[in-house]
Amino acid sequence: MEMRYRARRLRGSDTLRRMVRETRLSQDALIYPVFVKTGKNIQEPIASMEGQYRYSVDRLGSLYEQILKTGVRKVLFFGLPEEKDPQGSGAYRQDGIIQSALQYTAAHYPEIFRITDVCMCEYTSHGHCGILSGDQVDNDQTLPYLAKIALSHAEAGAQMLAPSDMMDGRVGVIRHALDSNAYTALPIMAYTVKYSSSFYSPFRAAADSTPAFGDRKTYQMDYHNKKEGIQAALRDIQDGADIVMVKPALAYLDVIQRVAEQVMVPVAAYSVSGEYAMIKAAAQAGYIDEANVVCESTVSIFRAGAQILISYFAREIAGWIAQGRIG
Ligand code: PBG
């Protein structure tokens, strides 16, 4: 039958399908989160996140060798300190866990790009992302601490900072601290549109950062809202954010799309621990094919408009891009 438009003409072979793909992926866009723990010779499996480990600094090298082989060259550090206190002082110690990981990595694996999570919840005894005043997280009292943490990361060799605390005004305060200390060239990737999400539970078990009481709803975003995220993005950009992030990813593809349409800076998405754990569990039960589902959901995040992806599957994704299976 004569038919001008036949969608199937361009679906006929792998060559054609790959030629007309609208979404292109690159290993350059991938960031792998790494949990670093105080101590020696530790590579400890994380029960809530099968296939992920907590590493002591001296064991990071073997991880780097492995991720570099897959084509991933960027890491986002999370730290598990030896001790916690109400002020989270472990987060800005010169010899703190993140600072040591940064120094080690810069000295031994300069080809690894070093991004740090700037937050307090792994370091505070109460598990909240800021300084408490009574049972409330005090926004303005927290800001100088965040600036201090950011500066200590910069001094230890961070190449990008990712504040995840969700205090108002933190991007401006961090930018100011960096600029006043000759770190004018250090970029900020702000966790701008970060929802108060139940998808973070496996991470909190991994990083030992579950709040001792209450939840994070007074500082993280309500998942009913989208416009609020655009407002936050515009504000963060004005305050000096170079990249804005949406987190989580899969349940928030509409938000990624909207943010990507509205802002003129690069947009990152964080496919979080709960997304990872669900896929792992369903695959293990034999209900889904892990690789196929990760490929499909990863592409959906880029299709929605993300330019950068933080994922616990970064190594695998890089491998599939190299094989031409996606991207
Ligand atoms: C720190 C932080 C969290 C995550 C990233 N940075 C936890 C939280 O906000 O409770 C979650 C990442 C994940 O679930 O993979 N504030």
Side-chain angles (χ1 to χ4, degrees):
M1 192 199 284
E2 188 180 318
M3 219 186 285
R4 295 256 169 101
Y5 176 72
R6 279 185 190 271
R8 292 184 58 184
R9 275 187 215 122
L10 295 182
R11 292 182 196 148
S13 69
D14 194 44
T15 302
L16 278 169
R17 288 191 298 272
R18 284 173 61 173
M19 181 181 182
V20 300
R21 275 174 182 165
E22 294 174 44
T23 309
R24 299 283 178 189
L25 275 59
S26 160
Q27 295 161 339
D28 293 331
L30 300 173
I31 301 170
Y32 183 62
V34 177
F35 297 94
V36 198
K37 185 176 172 160
T38 314
K40 283 226 152 37
N41 200 23
I42 301 168
Q43 183 180 340
E44 187 177 88
I46 299 172
S48 56
M49 300 173 69
E50 204 234 303
Q52 305 299 317
Y53 298 84
R54 300 182 195 92
Y55 297 87
S56 52
V57 171
D58 59 337
R59 292 287 290 267
L60 285 172
S62 56
L63 172 69
Y64 293 154
E65 304 283 349
Q66 188 197 81
I67 67 171
L68 286 169
K69 256 187 229 146
T70 71
V72 175
R73 291 175 294 271
K74 302 178 187 69
V75 296
L76 172 60
F77 289 114
F78 294 97
L80 288 98
E82 203 166 345
E83 280 168 21
K84 305 185 188 228
D85 60 33
Q87 284 75 38
S89 62
Y92 52 82
R93 273 174 61 155
Q94 242 182 353
D95 61 347
I97 181 65
I98 292 296
Q99 292 77 1
S100 311
L102 285 168
Q103 282 152 3
Y104 171 87
T105 307
H108 300 283
Y109 291 87
E111 63 272 48
I112 294 275
F113 188 79
R114 307 174 295 273
I115 312 172
T116 60
D117 184 85
V118 176
C119 195
M120 295 172 67
C121 61
E122 294 110 305
Y123 305 89
T124 50
S125 39
H126 44 76
H128 278 289
C129 304
I131 300 293
L132 291 186
S133 169
D135 60 359
Q136 291 296 312
V137 175
D138 189 315
N139 192 88
D140 298 10
Q141 260 200 70
T142 301
L143 295 177
Y145 285 90
L146 293 169
K148 221 159 134 164
I149 298 167
L151 204 52
S152 80
H153 290 183
E155 282 161 0
Q159 291 168 298
M160 182 177 281
L161 302 181
S164 72
D165 52 282
M166 290 300 278
M167 297 303 119
D168 285 316
R170 77 261 166 78
V171 172
V173 165
I174 291 173
R175 186 72 266 162
H176 175 73
L178 296 175
D179 288 357
S180 330
N181 288 277
Y183 296 107
T184 52
L186 186 58
I188 298 175
M189 174 167 68
Y191 285 73
T192 295
V193 193
K194 177 173 176 181
Y195 287 91
S196 179
S197 169
S198 295
F199 285 98
Y200 307 152
S201 316
F203 171 96
R204 290 182 189 165
D208 187 25
S209 66
T210 309
F213 64 90
D215 52 40
R216 303 206 203 287
K217 287 188 177 148
T218 69
Y219 42 105
Q220 299 181 347
M221 264 184 64
D222 180 347
Y223 58 71
H224 295 80
N225 300 346
K226 180 153 63 174
K227 277 203 292 189
E228 185 189 342
I230 308 302
Q231 168 69 5
L234 298 176
R235 176 206 60 194
D236 275 2
I237 293 165
Q238 218 161 37
D239 285 352
D242 301 283
I243 298 172
V244 292
M245 189 200 301
V246 177
K247 175 183 170 208
L250 280 186
Y252 297 87
L253 294 176
D254 59 326
V255 179
I256 295 174
Q257 176 161 18
R258 184 82 182 274
V259 170
E261 283 164 3
Q262 298 276 335
V263 308
M264 297 297 143
V265 301
V267 175
Y270 195 147
S271 185
V272 300
S273 56
E275 300 173 36
Y276 175 83
M278 286 196 307
I279 292 175
K280 278 280 176 199
Q284 225 160 43
Y287 298 147
I288 59 171
D289 179 87
E290 180 175 314
N292 286 337
V293 168
V294 177
C295 285
E296 188 175 333
S297 47
T298 298
V299 169
S300 79
I301 296 166
F302 285 100
R303 196 182 58 227
Q307 260 169 279
I308 299 163
L309 175 67
I310 303 161
S311 170
Y312 302 97
F313 283 119
R315 295 169 293 185
E316 291 83 348
I317 295 166
W320 296 321
I321 294 172
Q323 291 164 16
R325 182 165 170 168
I326 47 171

Short mmCIF file of all heavy atoms in Angstrom, two decimals, residues 129-183:
data_model
loop_
_atom_site.label_atom_id
_atom_site.label_comp_id
_atom_site.label_asym_id
_atom_site.label_seq_id
_atom_site.Cartn_x
_atom_site.Cartn_y
_atom_site.Cartn_z
N CYS A 129 20.26 17.75 58.62
CA CYS A 129 21.20 18.38 57.67
C CYS A 129 21.62 19.78 58.11
O CYS A 129 22.08 20.57 57.28
CB CYS A 129 20.58 18.42 56.28
SG CYS A 129 20.08 16.79 55.67
N GLY A 130 21.42 20.11 59.38
CA GLY A 130 21.81 21.44 59.84
C GLY A 130 21.91 21.51 61.34
O GLY A 130 21.82 20.49 62.04
N ILE A 131 22.09 22.73 61.82
CA ILE A 131 22.22 22.99 63.26
C ILE A 131 20.82 23.06 63.87
O ILE A 131 19.93 23.72 63.32
CB ILE A 131 22.95 24.34 63.48
CG1 ILE A 131 24.35 24.29 62.86
CG2 ILE A 131 23.02 24.68 64.97
CD1 ILE A 131 25.32 23.33 63.50
N LEU A 132 20.62 22.40 64.99
CA LEU A 132 19.31 22.40 65.63
C LEU A 132 19.15 23.58 66.57
O LEU A 132 20.09 24.00 67.25
CB LEU A 132 19.10 21.12 66.43
CG LEU A 132 18.95 19.82 65.66
CD1 LEU A 132 18.60 18.68 66.63
CD2 LEU A 132 17.90 19.90 64.56
N SER A 133 17.92 24.09 66.56
CA SER A 133 17.54 25.05 67.58
C SER A 133 16.25 24.47 68.14
O SER A 133 15.22 24.48 67.47
CB SER A 133 17.36 26.40 66.89
OG SER A 133 16.77 27.31 67.74
N GLY A 134 16.33 23.88 69.33
CA GLY A 134 15.22 23.06 69.82
C GLY A 134 15.12 21.83 68.93
O GLY A 134 16.13 21.17 68.67
N ASP A 135 13.94 21.55 68.41
CA ASP A 135 13.84 20.40 67.51
C ASP A 135 13.70 20.84 66.06
O ASP A 135 13.30 20.06 65.19
CB ASP A 135 12.67 19.48 67.93
CG ASP A 135 11.34 20.20 67.90
OD1 ASP A 135 11.31 21.41 67.57
OD2 ASP A 135 10.32 19.55 68.18
N GLN A 136 14.05 22.10 65.79
CA GLN A 136 13.99 22.62 64.43
C GLN A 136 15.39 22.79 63.84
O GLN A 136 16.32 23.15 64.57
CB GLN A 136 13.30 23.99 64.42
CG GLN A 136 11.81 23.95 64.74
CD GLN A 136 11.02 23.19 63.69
OE1 GLN A 136 11.19 23.41 62.49
NE2 GLN A 136 10.18 22.26 64.14
N VAL A 137 15.52 22.57 62.54
CA VAL A 137 16.79 22.86 61.89
C VAL A 137 16.81 24.35 61.59
O VAL A 137 15.96 24.87 60.87
CB VAL A 137 16.94 22.03 60.59
CG1 VAL A 137 18.21 22.43 59.86
CG2 VAL A 137 16.95 20.54 60.92
N ASP A 138 17.79 25.03 62.17
CA ASP A 138 17.88 26.48 62.08
C ASP A 138 18.63 26.87 60.80
O ASP A 138 19.83 26.65 60.68
CB ASP A 138 18.61 27.01 63.32
CG ASP A 138 18.57 28.53 63.40
OD1 ASP A 138 18.79 29.20 62.37
OD2 ASP A 138 18.29 29.04 64.51
N ASN A 139 17.88 27.43 59.88
CA ASN A 139 18.44 27.76 58.56
C ASN A 139 19.68 28.66 58.66
O ASN A 139 20.77 28.29 58.19
CB ASN A 139 17.37 28.46 57.71
CG ASN A 139 17.76 28.57 56.25
OD1 ASN A 139 17.50 27.66 55.48
ND2 ASN A 139 18.39 29.65 55.88
N ASP A 140 19.51 29.81 59.29
CA ASP A 140 20.56 30.82 59.22
C ASP A 140 21.78 30.47 60.06
O ASP A 140 22.91 30.82 59.70
CB ASP A 140 19.98 32.19 59.62
CG ASP A 140 18.87 32.61 58.66
OD1 ASP A 140 18.42 31.77 57.84
OD2 ASP A 140 18.42 33.77 58.73
N GLN A 141 21.54 29.74 61.14
CA GLN A 141 22.68 29.28 61.95
C GLN A 141 23.48 28.22 61.21
O GLN A 141 24.67 28.02 61.47
CB GLN A 141 22.14 28.62 63.23
CG GLN A 141 22.18 29.50 64.45
CD GLN A 141 22.12 28.61 65.69
OE1 GLN A 141 23.07 27.89 66.02
NE2 GLN A 141 20.98 28.66 66.37
N THR A 142 22.82 27.50 60.30
CA THR A 142 23.49 26.41 59.57
C THR A 142 24.42 26.95 58.48
O THR A 142 25.46 26.36 58.19
CB THR A 142 22.44 25.48 58.94
OG1 THR A 142 21.62 24.95 59.99
CG2 THR A 142 23.08 24.33 58.20
N LEU A 143 24.06 28.09 57.89
CA LEU A 143 24.78 28.59 56.72
C LEU A 143 26.30 28.73 56.92
O LEU A 143 27.07 28.26 56.06
CB LEU A 143 24.16 29.91 56.23
CG LEU A 143 22.71 29.78 55.70
CD1 LEU A 143 22.17 31.15 55.30
CD2 LEU A 143 22.64 28.81 54.53
N PRO A 144 26.76 29.35 58.02
CA PRO A 144 28.22 29.46 58.17
C PRO A 144 28.92 28.10 58.25
O PRO A 144 30.05 27.95 57.79
CB PRO A 144 28.39 30.22 59.49
CG PRO A 144 27.04 30.60 59.98
CD PRO A 144 26.01 30.06 59.06
N TYR A 145 28.23 27.10 58.80
CA TYR A 145 28.82 25.75 58.85
C TYR A 145 28.98 25.17 57.44
O TYR A 145 29.99 24.56 57.11
CB TYR A 145 27.95 24.82 59.70
CG TYR A 145 28.10 25.08 61.18
CD1 TYR A 145 27.27 25.98 61.82
CD2 TYR A 145 29.09 24.43 61.92
CE1 TYR A 145 27.41 26.24 63.17
CE2 TYR A 145 29.24 24.68 63.26
CZ TYR A 145 28.40 25.59 63.89
OH TYR A 145 28.55 25.83 65.23
N LEU A 146 27.96 25.40 56.61
CA LEU A 146 28.03 24.89 55.24
C LEU A 146 29.18 25.56 54.48
O LEU A 146 29.90 24.89 53.72
CB LEU A 146 26.70 25.13 54.52
CG LEU A 146 25.53 24.33 55.09
CD1 LEU A 146 24.21 24.81 54.49
CD2 LEU A 146 25.71 22.83 54.83
N ALA A 147 29.34 26.85 54.73
CA ALA A 147 30.43 27.57 54.07
C ALA A 147 31.78 27.00 54.52
O ALA A 147 32.70 26.81 53.72
CB ALA A 147 30.36 29.06 54.39
N LYS A 148 31.87 26.67 55.79
CA LYS A 148 33.09 26.12 56.36
C LYS A 148 33.39 24.73 55.76
O LYS A 148 34.53 24.41 55.43
CB LYS A 148 32.86 25.95 57.87
CG LYS A 148 34.02 26.34 58.74
CD LYS A 148 33.50 26.62 60.12
CE LYS A 148 34.36 25.97 61.16
NZ LYS A 148 34.12 26.51 62.49
N ILE A 149 32.35 23.93 55.64
CA ILE A 149 32.51 22.59 55.04
C ILE A 149 32.97 22.73 53.59
O ILE A 149 33.92 22.07 53.15
CB ILE A 149 31.19 21.80 55.11
CG1 ILE A 149 30.75 21.58 56.56
CG2 ILE A 149 31.31 20.46 54.38
CD1 ILE A 149 29.32 21.08 56.72
N ALA A 150 32.28 23.62 52.87
CA ALA A 150 32.62 23.82 51.45
C ALA A 150 34.08 24.24 51.30
O ALA A 150 34.82 23.70 50.47
CB ALA A 150 31.69 24.87 50.85
N LEU A 151 34.49 25.17 52.12
CA LEU A 151 35.86 25.67 52.05
C LEU A 151 36.88 24.58 52.38
O LEU A 151 37.92 24.45 51.73
CB LEU A 151 36.00 26.85 53.03
CG LEU A 151 37.09 27.85 52.73
CD1 LEU A 151 37.02 28.37 51.30
CD2 LEU A 151 36.98 29.04 53.71
N SER A 152 36.54 23.75 53.37
CA SER A 152 37.47 22.67 53.73
C SER A 152 37.59 21.66 52.59
O SER A 152 38.66 21.10 52.35
CB SER A 152 37.04 22.00 55.04
OG SER A 152 36.01 21.08 54.81
N HIS A 153 36.50 21.44 51.86
CA HIS A 153 36.56 20.54 50.70
C HIS A 153 37.43 21.16 49.60
O HIS A 153 38.24 20.48 48.97
CB HIS A 153 35.16 20.28 50.14
CG HIS A 153 34.31 19.42 51.03
ND1 HIS A 153 33.03 19.03 50.69
CD2 HIS A 153 34.53 18.87 52.25
CE1 HIS A 153 32.51 18.29 51.65
NE2 HIS A 153 33.41 18.17 52.62
N ALA A 154 37.24 22.48 49.41
CA ALA A 154 38.03 23.18 48.38
C ALA A 154 39.52 23.08 48.71
O ALA A 154 40.34 22.75 47.86
CB ALA A 154 37.58 24.64 48.29
N GLU A 155 39.83 23.31 49.97
CA GLU A 155 41.23 23.28 50.39
C GLU A 155 41.84 21.89 50.25
O GLU A 155 43.03 21.74 50.00
CB GLU A 155 41.36 23.77 51.85
CG GLU A 155 41.27 25.27 51.93
CD GLU A 155 40.93 25.80 53.32
OE1 GLU A 155 40.74 24.99 54.25
OE2 GLU A 155 40.83 27.04 53.45
N ALA A 156 41.00 20.86 50.39
CA ALA A 156 41.51 19.49 50.28
C ALA A 156 41.54 19.01 48.83
O ALA A 156 41.98 17.89 48.56
CB ALA A 156 40.66 18.56 51.13
N GLY A 157 41.07 19.83 47.90
CA GLY A 157 41.22 19.46 46.49
C GLY A 157 39.95 19.07 45.76
O GLY A 157 40.02 18.43 44.71
N ALA A 158 38.78 19.47 46.28
CA ALA A 158 37.55 19.19 45.53
C ALA A 158 37.55 19.99 44.23
O ALA A 158 38.05 21.10 44.18
CB ALA A 158 36.33 19.56 46.38
N GLN A 159 36.98 19.37 43.19
CA GLN A 159 36.93 20.05 41.89
C GLN A 159 35.52 20.53 41.54
O GLN A 159 35.32 21.23 40.57
CB GLN A 159 37.45 19.12 40.80
CG GLN A 159 38.95 18.89 40.93
CD GLN A 159 39.42 17.76 40.07
OE1 GLN A 159 39.01 16.61 40.24
NE2 GLN A 159 40.27 18.06 39.11
N MET A 160 34.55 20.11 42.35
CA MET A 160 33.18 20.60 42.22
C MET A 160 32.48 20.32 43.54
O MET A 160 32.74 19.29 44.17
CB MET A 160 32.46 19.88 41.07
CG MET A 160 31.05 20.36 40.82
SD MET A 160 30.26 19.54 39.41
CE MET A 160 30.99 20.40 38.04
N LEU A 161 31.62 21.26 43.97
CA LEU A 161 30.92 21.08 45.24
C LEU A 161 29.42 20.89 44.98
O LEU A 161 28.84 21.61 44.16
CB LEU A 161 31.12 22.30 46.14
CG LEU A 161 32.56 22.68 46.48
CD1 LEU A 161 32.58 23.88 47.40
CD2 LEU A 161 33.29 21.50 47.15
N ALA A 162 28.84 19.96 45.71
CA ALA A 162 27.41 19.69 45.54
C ALA A 162 26.68 19.81 46.88
O ALA A 162 26.56 18.83 47.62
CB ALA A 162 27.22 18.30 44.93
N PRO A 163 26.21 21.02 47.21
CA PRO A 163 25.48 21.18 48.47
C PRO A 163 24.11 20.51 48.42
O PRO A 163 23.32 20.75 47.51
CB PRO A 163 25.35 22.71 48.61
CG PRO A 163 25.65 23.29 47.28
CD PRO A 163 26.42 22.28 46.49
N SER A 164 23.83 19.65 49.42
CA SER A 164 22.60 18.86 49.40
C SER A 164 21.71 19.09 50.62
O SER A 164 20.73 18.41 50.83
CB SER A 164 22.94 17.36 49.31
OG SER A 164 23.47 16.91 50.53
N ASP A 165 22.08 20.09 51.43
CA ASP A 165 21.41 20.31 52.72
C ASP A 165 20.01 20.90 52.60
O ASP A 165 19.18 20.72 53.47
CB ASP A 165 22.26 21.30 53.50
CG ASP A 165 22.52 22.53 52.63
OD1 ASP A 165 23.39 22.44 51.74
OD2 ASP A 165 21.80 23.53 52.77
N MET A 166 19.77 21.70 51.56
CA MET A 166 18.48 22.35 51.29
C MET A 166 18.15 23.52 52.23
O MET A 166 16.97 23.84 52.43
CB MET A 166 17.34 21.33 51.28
CG MET A 166 17.37 20.40 50.08
SD MET A 166 17.27 21.26 48.50
CE MET A 166 15.49 21.50 48.39
N MET A 167 19.18 24.17 52.77
CA MET A 167 18.93 25.42 53.51
C MET A 167 18.78 26.55 52.48
O MET A 167 19.44 26.56 51.44
CB MET A 167 20.12 25.76 54.44
CG MET A 167 20.38 24.74 55.54
SD MET A 167 18.98 24.45 56.61
CE MET A 167 18.72 22.70 56.33
N ASP A 168 17.93 27.50 52.80
CA ASP A 168 17.79 28.67 51.92
C ASP A 168 19.04 29.52 51.99
O ASP A 168 19.57 29.77 53.08
CB ASP A 168 16.58 29.51 52.36
CG ASP A 168 15.27 28.84 51.97
OD1 ASP A 168 15.19 28.35 50.83
OD2 ASP A 168 14.36 28.81 52.80
N GLY A 169 19.51 29.95 50.85
CA GLY A 169 20.64 30.88 50.81
C GLY A 169 22.00 30.23 50.81
O GLY A 169 23.02 30.91 50.75
N ARG A 170 22.05 28.89 50.83
CA ARG A 170 23.37 28.24 50.98
C ARG A 170 24.26 28.44 49.76
O ARG A 170 25.48 28.59 49.90
CB ARG A 170 23.23 26.74 51.30
CG ARG A 170 22.87 25.84 50.09
CD ARG A 170 21.48 25.52 50.02
NE ARG A 170 20.87 24.95 48.86
CZ ARG A 170 20.89 23.71 48.43
NH1 ARG A 170 21.68 22.83 48.99
NH2 ARG A 170 20.17 23.31 47.43
N VAL A 171 23.66 28.47 48.57
CA VAL A 171 24.51 28.60 47.39
C VAL A 171 25.25 29.94 47.42
O VAL A 171 26.46 30.00 47.18
CB VAL A 171 23.69 28.44 46.08
CG1 VAL A 171 24.55 28.77 44.86
CG2 VAL A 171 23.15 27.02 45.96
N GLY A 172 24.52 30.99 47.79
CA GLY A 172 25.15 32.31 47.86
C GLY A 172 26.26 32.37 48.90
O GLY A 172 27.34 32.93 48.65
N VAL A 173 25.99 31.77 50.04
CA VAL A 173 26.97 31.79 51.13
C VAL A 173 28.22 30.98 50.75
O VAL A 173 29.36 31.40 51.01
CB VAL A 173 26.30 31.25 52.42
CG1 VAL A 173 27.32 30.91 53.48
CG2 VAL A 173 25.29 32.26 52.96
N ILE A 174 28.00 29.85 50.11
CA ILE A 174 29.13 29.02 49.69
C ILE A 174 29.93 29.72 48.59
O ILE A 174 31.16 29.77 48.62
CB ILE A 174 28.64 27.62 49.24
CG1 ILE A 174 28.13 26.83 50.45
CG2 ILE A 174 29.74 26.86 48.52
CD1 ILE A 174 27.46 25.52 50.11
N ARG A 175 29.21 30.32 47.62
CA ARG A 175 29.89 31.04 46.52
C ARG A 175 30.76 32.16 47.10
O ARG A 175 31.91 32.36 46.69
CB ARG A 175 28.84 31.58 45.56
CG ARG A 175 29.35 32.23 44.29
CD ARG A 175 29.92 31.20 43.30
NE ARG A 175 31.35 31.04 43.44
CZ ARG A 175 32.04 29.99 42.98
NH1 ARG A 175 31.46 29.00 42.36
NH2 ARG A 175 33.34 29.93 43.17
N HIS A 176 30.18 32.86 48.07
CA HIS A 176 30.91 33.97 48.68
C HIS A 176 32.18 33.46 49.40
O HIS A 176 33.27 34.04 49.25
CB HIS A 176 30.01 34.72 49.67
CG HIS A 176 30.71 35.78 50.43
ND1 HIS A 176 31.10 36.97 49.85
CD2 HIS A 176 31.15 35.84 51.73
CE1 HIS A 176 31.72 37.71 50.75
NE2 HIS A 176 31.77 37.05 51.89
N ALA A 177 32.03 32.37 50.15
CA ALA A 177 33.18 31.82 50.86
C ALA A 177 34.27 31.39 49.88
O ALA A 177 35.46 31.61 50.11
CB ALA A 177 32.74 30.64 51.73
N LEU A 178 33.86 30.78 48.78
CA LEU A 178 34.84 30.31 47.79
C LEU A 178 35.53 31.50 47.13
O LEU A 178 36.76 31.53 47.00
CB LEU A 178 34.15 29.45 46.73
CG LEU A 178 33.52 28.14 47.21
CD1 LEU A 178 32.79 27.46 46.06
CD2 LEU A 178 34.58 27.19 47.78
N ASP A 179 34.73 32.48 46.73
CA ASP A 179 35.29 33.62 46.01
C ASP A 179 36.21 34.46 46.89
O ASP A 179 37.20 35.02 46.42
CB ASP A 179 34.16 34.50 45.45
CG ASP A 179 33.45 33.82 44.28
OD1 ASP A 179 33.89 32.72 43.87
OD2 ASP A 179 32.47 34.38 43.77
N SER A 180 35.89 34.52 48.19
CA SER A 180 36.75 35.30 49.09
C SER A 180 38.04 34.57 49.41
O SER A 180 38.91 35.10 50.10
CB SER A 180 36.05 35.61 50.42
OG SER A 180 34.69 35.70 50.26
N ASN A 181 38.14 33.31 49.00
CA ASN A 181 39.34 32.55 49.31
C ASN A 181 40.03 32.00 48.07
O ASN A 181 40.60 30.92 48.09
CB ASN A 181 39.00 31.40 50.26
CG ASN A 181 38.70 31.90 51.66
OD1 ASN A 181 39.60 32.14 52.45
ND2 ASN A 181 37.43 32.12 51.94
N ALA A 182 39.90 32.72 46.98
CA ALA A 182 40.62 32.39 45.75
C ALA A 182 40.13 31.12 45.07
O ALA A 182 40.82 30.55 44.23
CB ALA A 182 42.13 32.31 45.99
N TYR A 183 38.94 30.65 45.42
CA TYR A 183 38.38 29.50 44.71
C TYR A 183 37.30 29.95 43.73
O TYR A 183 36.23 29.36 43.63
CB TYR A 183 37.84 28.46 45.69
CG TYR A 183 38.92 27.87 46.55
CD1 TYR A 183 39.05 28.21 47.89
CD2 TYR A 183 39.84 26.99 45.99
CE1 TYR A 183 40.07 27.68 48.67
CE2 TYR A 183 40.87 26.46 46.77
CZ TYR A 183 40.97 26.80 48.11
OH TYR A 183 41.98 26.28 48.86
#
